[in-house]
Amino acid sequence: MKTLWQNCHAATMAQGVYSIIEDAAIVTQGEHIQWIGPRAELPVGDYPAINDLKGAWVTPGLIDCHTHAVFGGNRSGEFEQRLQGVSYADIAAAGGGIASTVRATRAASEDELFASAAKRLKSLMRDGVTTVEIKSGYGLDLTSERKMLRVIRRLGAELPVSVRSTCLAAHALPPEYKDRADDYIEHICAEMLPALAAEGLMDAVDAFCEYLAFSPEQVERVFLTAQRLGLPVKLHAEQLSSLHGSSLAARYQALSADHLEFMTENDAKAMAESGTVAVLLPGAFYFLRETQLPPMDALRKHGVKIAVASDLNPGTSPALSLRLMLNMACTCLRLTPEEALAGATIHAAQALGMAQTHGSLEAGKVADFVAWHIDRPADLSYWLGGDLEKRVVRHGVEID
Ligand code: DI6
Ligand code: FE
């Protein structure tokens, strides 16, 4: 069914850059955008359905390209400990941190994990999110990683949001493999990834490259396996220290390298050359009271595409609003509101390998967009949370 959406302005992100059309019109045909441009140039024709957007600003549907939204348990006690001065690394060393979420996630049923994650996703969706990536990584054995990935697939099937699934088996060392990190990596490569790939449960493979997680050599083995299975890779890199995981990611044409506070200019150059997106995670930066800023000047100078995501997870970023992340990207990480919006739309799509179909308002792309009742696009980075009046269209159909 052909539908005309008019009486609006559009921040299109066409061709990957921030650009606006005042007094725009959008024509959707089924799930796709058929035409977008200034209303004065609207092709003459028959529009069986016409929607008056009442002066709204239309943006692409927001894309949260890095979350750990599926998990069991709750870590607010750990938050209280950290407020008393205990560090994230100390908590992890004492068996808390990721390990405590692994225990709770292993103990939870698929239905329980689905129900708690669905609530979190609905919160993100109330903020205009139409596409979200979710990682496994709190199971750390084949059965529990499979359980998480099945929940991730089910979220995409049952909620009106597009879900990308990423396997993060190399997130932390499970207790069964204490002091045997190489053996766990071997298990991931020989057993877990081949089995999960055969079941079609993942769209990408991620790892945590850090002194308290896995070394670049170990990550490389995971990347080689992913490559052999035909899956794109991503990497948590340079969050707490500089191991040049982002350069390693670039060598494997990773879709993205994420966090990046401790990356160097050479890492930025390597990422620019491979087209690897820099995913910045201001929620984790803020929640850990990090003071080391990602090297924004180097990223800009070398033309690395920058995305912004929530990192929604129970330990370092219990963030339920992507718009709040846009604000923090500006206030804490010094992005402009235009960069932040590109970071949650077109560059986020690229970080998921979806830029051909999502992330901008262009003819031929999927009709995922939000009509916001705001004065200017910068308002999306300005308000701290809250509920902005808006209409959300996904696959050409308005959802509530
Ligand atoms: N980096 C993070 O910030 C999260 N995972 C990661 O690799 C933290 C996950 C957690 O603490 O539960
Ligand atoms: Fe993360």
Side-chain angles (χ1 to χ4, degrees):
M1 154 96 139
K2 196 183 226 178
T3 305
L4 170 63
W5 311 78
Q6 63 180 1
N7 193 10
C8 60
H9 310 295
T12 66
M13 311 293 153
Q15 263 99 56
V17 290
Y18 182 91
S19 46
I20 63 175
I21 304 172
E22 296 205 21
D23 196 7
I26 302 168
V27 180
T28 57
Q29 169 78 52
E31 296 198 351
H32 293 90
I33 297 173
Q34 189 182 63
W35 186 89
I36 175 167
R39 175 155 55 165
E41 296 170 20
L42 179 68
V44 186
D46 205 15
Y47 297 103
I50 299 180
N51 276 285
D52 179 357
L53 294 175
K54 303 201 163 83
W57 272 96
V58 181
T59 68
L62 300 190
I63 298 176
D64 193 344
C65 67
H66 179 145
T67 85
H68 309 247
V70 172
F71 58 84
N74 174 309
R75 306 239 299 274
S76 62
E78 213 173 83
F79 172 56
E80 291 179 291
Q81 271 182 292
R82 286 200 299 103
L83 292 173
Q84 300 298 325
V86 188
S87 77
Y88 181 67
D90 290 344
I91 290 170
I98 294 175
S100 80
T101 300
V102 171
R103 287 190 292 276
T105 304
R106 286 180 175 182
S109 70
E110 241 174 76
D111 284 344
E112 286 164 346
L113 291 175
F114 177 86
S116 62
K119 283 188 209 163
R120 295 176 200 122
L121 281 200
K122 283 178 187 161
S123 176
L124 292 176
M125 290 159 67
R126 276 196 291 278
D127 239 8
V129 169
T130 52
T131 299
V132 64
E133 182 259 18
I134 310 178
K135 303 173 195 297
S136 67
Y138 291 120
L140 309 185
D141 60 34
L142 179 57
T143 310
S144 312
E145 287 290 301
R146 178 188 284 122
K147 177 173 68 177
M148 289 190 74
L149 292 166
R150 284 170 50 94
V151 169
I152 294 168
R153 284 283 187 242
R154 187 173 151 204
L155 289 161
E158 293 190 23
L159 298 181
V161 62
S162 302
V163 175
R164 283 290 157 133
S165 162
T166 300
C167 181
L168 179 58
H171 190 198
L173 198 57
E176 310 80 74
Y177 282 89
K178 189 169 175 341
D179 300 324
R180 293 193 296 132
D182 284 325
D183 291 350
Y184 180 53
I185 293 292
E186 175 59 24
H187 178 58
I188 290 174
C189 296
E191 317 285 339
M192 293 170 76
L193 291 180
L196 298 168
E199 292 168 42
L201 286 173
M202 55 191 173
D203 303 313
V205 173
D206 195 348
F208 189 15
C209 187
E210 194 54 69
Y211 66 91
L212 50 70
F214 298 101
S215 69
E217 294 70 29
Q218 291 164 338
V219 168
E220 187 158 13
R221 292 172 61 195
V222 174
F223 281 2
L224 281 166
T225 304
Q227 209 170 48
R228 192 164 48 74
L229 295 169
L231 290 164
V233 297
K234 308 167 77 69
L235 191 64
H236 285 68
E238 275 58 270
Q239 181 185 11
L240 308 169
S241 64
S242 177
L243 301 181
H244 305 294
S246 43
S247 288
L248 169 66
R251 279 207 299 289
Y252 282 82
Q253 275 80 49
L255 291 173
S256 70
D258 306 36
H259 285 291
L260 304 176
E261 281 84 343
F262 289 85
M263 80 186 293
T264 63
E265 179 157 2
N266 274 337
D267 295 326
K269 254 190 244 167
M271 286 176 63
E273 279 161 21
S274 64
T276 298
V277 177
V279 179
L280 304 183
L281 304 167
F285 177 91
Y286 163 85
F287 201 68
L288 293 176
R289 293 190 177 145
E290 183 56 70
T291 53
Q292 171 83 31
L293 281 166
M296 294 307 305
D297 291 343
L299 291 170
R300 289 184 183 118
K301 176 173 146 199
H302 295 287
V304 180
K305 299 282 197 298
I306 299 168
V308 175
S310 70
D311 199 15
L312 167 53
N313 79 71
T316 62
S317 189
L320 295 171
S321 161
L322 187 57
R323 271 194 309 105
L324 180 57
M325 299 302 109
L326 300 188
N327 175 274
M328 288 184 181
C330 298
T331 50
C332 301
L333 306 183
R334 326 280 165 90
L335 270 70
T336 66
E338 293 178 4
E339 286 175 323
L341 186 55
T345 54
I346 187 63
H347 297 160
Q350 191 175 330
L352 297 179
M354 300 173 82
Q356 296 304 316
T357 49
H358 292 72
S360 65
L361 303 173
E362 291 178 87
K365 284 208 171 181
V366 172
D368 285 0
F369 56 83
V370 185
W372 307 88
H373 290 283
I374 53 176
D375 295 331
R376 313 171 56 232
D379 290 6
L380 298 177
S381 297
Y382 168 69
W383 297 106
L384 296 173
D387 196 8
L388 296 186
E389 192 190 341
K390 65 186 173 307
R391 293 169 71 176
V392 180
V393 173
R394 176 167 180 271
H395 294 182
V397 177
E398 186 162 359
I399 56 174
D400 6 83

Short mmCIF file of all heavy atoms in Angstrom, two decimals, residues 66-68 135 168 171 206 236 258-259 281 311 313 316, ligand 2:
data_model
loop_
_atom_site.label_atom_id
_atom_site.label_comp_id
_atom_site.label_asym_id
_atom_site.label_seq_id
_atom_site.Cartn_x
_atom_site.Cartn_y
_atom_site.Cartn_z
N HIS A 66 24.95 -1.80 20.06
CA HIS A 66 25.78 -2.55 21.03
C HIS A 66 25.02 -2.65 22.34
O HIS A 66 24.95 -1.68 23.10
CB HIS A 66 27.12 -1.82 21.22
CG HIS A 66 28.07 -2.47 22.19
ND1 HIS A 66 29.45 -2.46 22.01
CD2 HIS A 66 27.88 -3.12 23.37
CE1 HIS A 66 30.04 -3.08 23.01
NE2 HIS A 66 29.11 -3.49 23.86
N THR A 67 24.41 -3.81 22.59
CA THR A 67 23.77 -4.02 23.90
C THR A 67 24.04 -5.46 24.37
O THR A 67 24.36 -6.35 23.59
CB THR A 67 22.23 -3.84 23.88
OG1 THR A 67 21.59 -5.07 23.48
CG2 THR A 67 21.77 -2.72 22.98
N HIS A 68 23.90 -5.61 25.68
CA HIS A 68 23.91 -6.93 26.32
C HIS A 68 22.58 -7.03 27.06
O HIS A 68 22.54 -7.21 28.28
CB HIS A 68 25.06 -7.05 27.32
CG HIS A 68 26.43 -6.66 26.82
ND1 HIS A 68 27.45 -7.56 26.67
CD2 HIS A 68 26.95 -5.45 26.47
CE1 HIS A 68 28.56 -6.94 26.25
NE2 HIS A 68 28.28 -5.66 26.12
N LYS A 135 24.04 -9.01 22.37
CA LYS A 135 25.12 -9.98 22.45
C LYS A 135 24.80 -11.08 23.46
O LYS A 135 24.15 -10.80 24.48
CB LYS A 135 26.41 -9.28 22.90
CG LYS A 135 26.83 -8.13 22.01
CD LYS A 135 28.00 -7.37 22.59
CE LYS A 135 28.18 -6.03 21.92
NZ LYS A 135 28.50 -6.08 20.48
N LEU A 168 29.08 -13.53 21.84
CA LEU A 168 30.20 -12.99 22.62
C LEU A 168 30.68 -14.06 23.61
O LEU A 168 30.84 -13.80 24.80
CB LEU A 168 29.77 -11.69 23.32
CG LEU A 168 30.75 -10.94 24.21
CD1 LEU A 168 32.03 -10.54 23.47
CD2 LEU A 168 30.10 -9.71 24.83
N HIS A 171 33.78 -13.47 26.20
CA HIS A 171 33.51 -12.27 27.00
C HIS A 171 34.32 -12.32 28.30
O HIS A 171 34.89 -11.34 28.74
CB HIS A 171 32.01 -12.21 27.31
CG HIS A 171 31.54 -10.92 27.92
ND1 HIS A 171 30.34 -10.82 28.57
CD2 HIS A 171 32.09 -9.69 27.96
CE1 HIS A 171 30.17 -9.57 29.00
NE2 HIS A 171 31.22 -8.87 28.64
N ASP A 206 31.80 -11.52 18.42
CA ASP A 206 32.46 -10.44 19.16
C ASP A 206 33.38 -11.08 20.21
O ASP A 206 33.28 -12.29 20.48
CB ASP A 206 31.36 -9.60 19.85
CG ASP A 206 31.82 -8.25 20.37
OD1 ASP A 206 33.04 -8.00 20.43
OD2 ASP A 206 30.93 -7.44 20.74
N HIS A 236 35.25 -5.66 21.49
CA HIS A 236 35.39 -4.75 22.63
C HIS A 236 36.89 -4.49 22.78
O HIS A 236 37.64 -5.42 23.09
CB HIS A 236 34.91 -5.41 23.91
CG HIS A 236 33.42 -5.53 24.05
ND1 HIS A 236 32.65 -6.35 23.27
CD2 HIS A 236 32.57 -4.94 24.93
CE1 HIS A 236 31.38 -6.25 23.65
NE2 HIS A 236 31.30 -5.40 24.66
N ASP A 258 34.69 -1.33 19.58
CA ASP A 258 33.80 -0.62 20.49
C ASP A 258 34.50 -0.26 21.81
O ASP A 258 35.37 -1.02 22.27
CB ASP A 258 32.57 -1.49 20.78
CG ASP A 258 31.84 -1.97 19.51
OD1 ASP A 258 32.52 -2.26 18.51
OD2 ASP A 258 30.61 -2.06 19.54
N HIS A 259 34.10 0.85 22.40
CA HIS A 259 34.66 1.46 23.62
C HIS A 259 35.77 2.44 23.23
O HIS A 259 35.53 3.63 23.16
CB HIS A 259 35.21 0.43 24.63
CG HIS A 259 34.14 -0.29 25.38
ND1 HIS A 259 33.34 0.30 26.31
CD2 HIS A 259 33.75 -1.58 25.33
CE1 HIS A 259 32.49 -0.58 26.81
NE2 HIS A 259 32.70 -1.73 26.22
N LEU A 281 30.68 4.30 23.67
CA LEU A 281 29.70 3.84 24.65
C LEU A 281 29.73 4.75 25.87
O LEU A 281 30.33 4.42 26.91
CB LEU A 281 30.00 2.38 25.01
CG LEU A 281 30.03 1.45 23.78
CD1 LEU A 281 30.63 0.09 24.12
CD2 LEU A 281 28.64 1.28 23.19
N ASP A 311 25.38 0.10 25.18
CA ASP A 311 26.11 -0.94 25.92
C ASP A 311 25.23 -1.52 27.03
O ASP A 311 25.76 -2.08 28.00
CB ASP A 311 27.42 -0.40 26.50
CG ASP A 311 28.42 -1.49 26.87
OD1 ASP A 311 28.24 -2.65 26.44
OD2 ASP A 311 29.38 -1.20 27.62
N ASN A 313 23.96 -3.11 29.83
CA ASN A 313 24.43 -4.32 30.53
C ASN A 313 24.37 -4.07 32.02
O ASN A 313 24.34 -2.92 32.46
CB ASN A 313 25.84 -4.70 30.06
CG ASN A 313 26.92 -3.86 30.71
OD1 ASN A 313 27.23 -3.99 31.89
ND2 ASN A 313 27.53 -2.96 29.94
N THR A 316 28.28 -2.33 33.72
CA THR A 316 28.95 -1.05 33.45
C THR A 316 28.07 -0.02 32.74
O THR A 316 28.52 1.11 32.55
CB THR A 316 30.20 -1.28 32.56
OG1 THR A 316 29.77 -1.82 31.30
CG2 THR A 316 31.18 -2.23 33.20
FE FE B 2 29.75 -4.23 25.75
#
